[in-house]
Amino acid sequence: MAMGNFYALLGAALAVVISGIGSAIGVARAGQASSALLTKQPDKFGKVLILQLLPSTQGLYGFVVGFMVLVRLGALGGNMTVISEAGGWSIFAYCMPIAIVGLASAIMQSNVAISCVNLLGKQETMFGRTIIMTALVELFAIFAFIVSLLGVMLINLDQITYVAPVAAALVA
């Protein structure tokens, strides 16, 4: 396998794994707060389940970006396109926004979800507002997802070339 493909696949793997770790942490933390509330008020299961579920979307975004890298390289059809090292690094770089922002956003979103679960324990009528507060953190993951997805899908791998600084100086 060419090094370009290696870097692209590494980026895809990191997009899936790092954003997935963030989602796992976020869902687990929100689940702990939810289960604490449900021991006293089991009738609120549906509402706290939604709050617990919200940090999972970052992992989904990372999965989609990783999957699109595989599609873009033709890795799923058994006939993988060989790309340049610069092309591989470019795809790697486009995978990083959802990897890094997905990790941080899922954890931060779980902090809001935990507070919202606590709020629901005291004022159930605030459910709609808790969803809005928790979803606002999601916007940043969506921005990172869009950058990663569009970057991976729209990059023209045929036009990426790397000219070493020494060679560029000789040409000039």
Side-chain angles (χ1 to χ4, degrees), residues 6 44-45 59 63-64 72 81 109 121 133 137 141 155-156 172:
F6 172 77
K44 294 185 178 166
F45 175 74
F63 173 78
V64 169
R72 188 73 203 276
T81 303
Q109 193 172 40
M133 290 186 290
V137 183
I155 190 170
N156 188 346

Side-chain angles (χ1 to χ4, degrees), residues 13 29 48 64 77 83 98 122 125 160:
R29 292 180 67 213
V48 297
V64 169
I83 63 172
I98 193 55
K122 296 174 182 151
T125 60
I160 295 177

Side-chain angles (χ1 to χ4, degrees), residues 30 71 133 159:
V71 168
M133 290 186 290
Q159 293 184 356

